[in-house]
Amino acid sequence: MGQRRSISGSRILITGASQGIGKALAEAAAARGARVLVCARKRELLDELAAVIRASGGTIEVVQADITCPDDRRRLVEAARAAFGGLDILVNNAGIGATGHFADCSADRLRQIMEVNFFGLTETTRAFLPMLKEGTRPAIVNISSIAGKRGIPARSEYSASKFAVQGFSEALRAELAKDGVDVLVVCPGLTQTNFSQNMIEQKALVQMDHMRGMSAEDVAAHTLRAIEKGYNETCLTLNGKLMVLVSRFFPWIADIIVKRKVRGLFKEEIEARRQGQGAEVAPRPMETSHERQA
């Protein structure tokens, strides 16, 4: 457990705030009295968000920024200092994804996912650490995923990036204990956002129905509660919690389930391969003693 804190009056930066969870977080935090700084790559969506929050009496500043760009990260630090005189809470929410089996995808795709989901997150954290150490009950909040607790077939690259976030967060939590900076992790399950439409590529045979998941507003509410209570880790949705539980205590069951699912989807391909291999290794006719001598 970390420190308890109030959302009201806190200075919060939310990355990837133009849509989905980030947008819902900005609206909810501003409604509760936080001073919010948001960033994303799409300026027009940020301006729309700002107009809504200001119309409701909230405090918000916007910066068009790509967290993978060092110059943009520096501009975010400068904006936080100029607008609020510092920062108390950094919410690393920006992320991208893709689907498809690892063997069928390019190295560039993996690097792009890791660049945003991991390196963008870690370097944004690095840029703000000096400022956070001066903040009031400071916290770093990393929005991970249930896929960072259990690898999901056809989402190996995304899972890898979120596993990296998990490991980074756990190590950083211990390192920053001496500085009074909490490191919290929130792991959403399926969420009703445009995340699937914004993916780099979709090659999975079975697409997850994100509209059956938790709403972005509910994820935002759980995230703000985790920040207030200082929860080190928060896993969301019933199915997500069950997956984490089974993977932790009965990993062999989880392995059997996902392997069976994949084999079922590729049944025809597996059968064709077996038949082809059978033809290649078909037994040769028995040689006669005469043929052996030859």
Side-chain angles (χ1 to χ4, degrees):
M1 291 284 290
Q3 308 169 76
R4 289 176 175 266
R5 58 183 55 77
S6 173
I7 298 299
S8 178
S10 292
R11 300 164 295 180
I12 304 178
L13 166 61
I14 304 169
T15 68
S18 61
Q19 302 179 65
I21 294 172
K23 177 175 179 288
L25 264 173
E27 292 175 336
R32 293 171 61 174
R35 291 176 286 171
V36 180
L37 172 65
V38 295
C39 76
R41 291 177 297 177
K42 297 181 179 179
R43 178 72 194 212
E44 63 277 12
L45 294 179
L46 290 175
D47 288 340
E48 291 174 10
L49 171 63
V52 169
I53 289 177
R54 287 169 182 155
S56 301
T59 301
I60 184 172
E61 298 293 333
V62 303
V63 176
Q64 182 179 12
D66 181 343
I67 62 166
T68 66
C69 174
D71 288 341
D72 285 5
R73 293 194 295 266
R74 281 191 288 270
R75 287 196 302 110
L76 279 173
V77 172
E78 293 167 1
R81 185 75 71 186
F84 304 141
L87 194 71
D88 304 313
I89 302 169
L90 167 63
V91 181
N92 287 310
N93 170 73
I96 57 173
T99 66
H101 284 205
F102 174 76
D104 300 326
C105 302
S106 68
D108 288 341
R109 199 181 87 166
L110 171 58
R111 291 183 181 279
Q112 188 175 352
I113 290 173
M114 293 298 294
E115 193 66 43
V116 176
N117 294 3
F118 183 65
F119 292 114
L121 178 150
T122 56
E123 293 310 313
T124 299
T125 299
R126 190 193 307 277
F128 276 96
L129 270 178
M131 185 179 290
L132 286 168
K133 290 178 181 180
E134 299 172 355
T136 302
R137 296 185 182 277
I140 297 162
V141 185
N142 293 330
I143 306 299
S144 183
S145 169
I146 292 298
K149 305 292 289 182
R150 172 72 202 189
I152 301 176
R155 290 153 183 83
S156 57
E157 301 147 315
Y158 181 74
S159 294
S161 72
K162 295 302 184 179
F163 266 80
V165 168
Q166 189 77 26
F168 171 71
S169 301
E170 291 173 3
L172 192 65
R173 181 179 302 131
E175 292 178 11
L176 295 180
K178 62 181 175 57
D179 301 302
V181 181
D182 288 344
V183 179
L184 316 178
V185 180
V186 178
C187 301
L190 286 179
T191 308
Q192 297 173 22
T193 68
N194 292 327
F195 185 74
S196 58
Q197 287 91 336
N198 294 331
M199 286 184 178
I200 301 171
E201 203 170 31
Q202 296 192 57
K203 289 185 174 182
L205 293 182
V206 177
Q207 300 299 327
M208 292 182 177
D209 185 2
H210 287 263
M211 292 303 103
R212 294 175 56 192
M214 181 179 283
S215 70
E217 290 72 22
D218 282 344
V219 173
H222 281 283
T223 301
L224 291 182
R225 178 175 172 78
I227 294 171
E228 286 181 316
K229 300 296 184 181
Y231 294 151
N232 285 342
E233 184 171 288
T234 302
C235 294
L236 300 178
T237 77
L238 177 59
N239 287 340
K241 291 176 181 178
L242 286 173
M243 182 183 293
V244 172
L245 187 66
V246 172
S247 295
R248 179 177 180 182
F249 293 104
F250 308 101
W252 58 274
I253 293 179
D255 285 340
I256 289 173
I257 292 172
V258 295
K259 286 178 180 179
R260 184 175 296 168
K261 181 67 174 178
V262 171
R263 285 170 181 152
L265 291 171
F266 290 86
K267 183 178 180 180
E268 293 181 0
E269 179 181 319
I270 293 171
E271 186 61 31
R273 187 184 303 121
R274 285 175 178 169
Q275 292 177 355
Q277 290 174 344
E280 291 175 7
V281 299
R284 297 171 59 190
M286 185 177 295
E287 297 173 332
T288 66
S289 58
H290 182 73
E291 289 172 328
R292 285 197 297 271
Q293 291 175 359

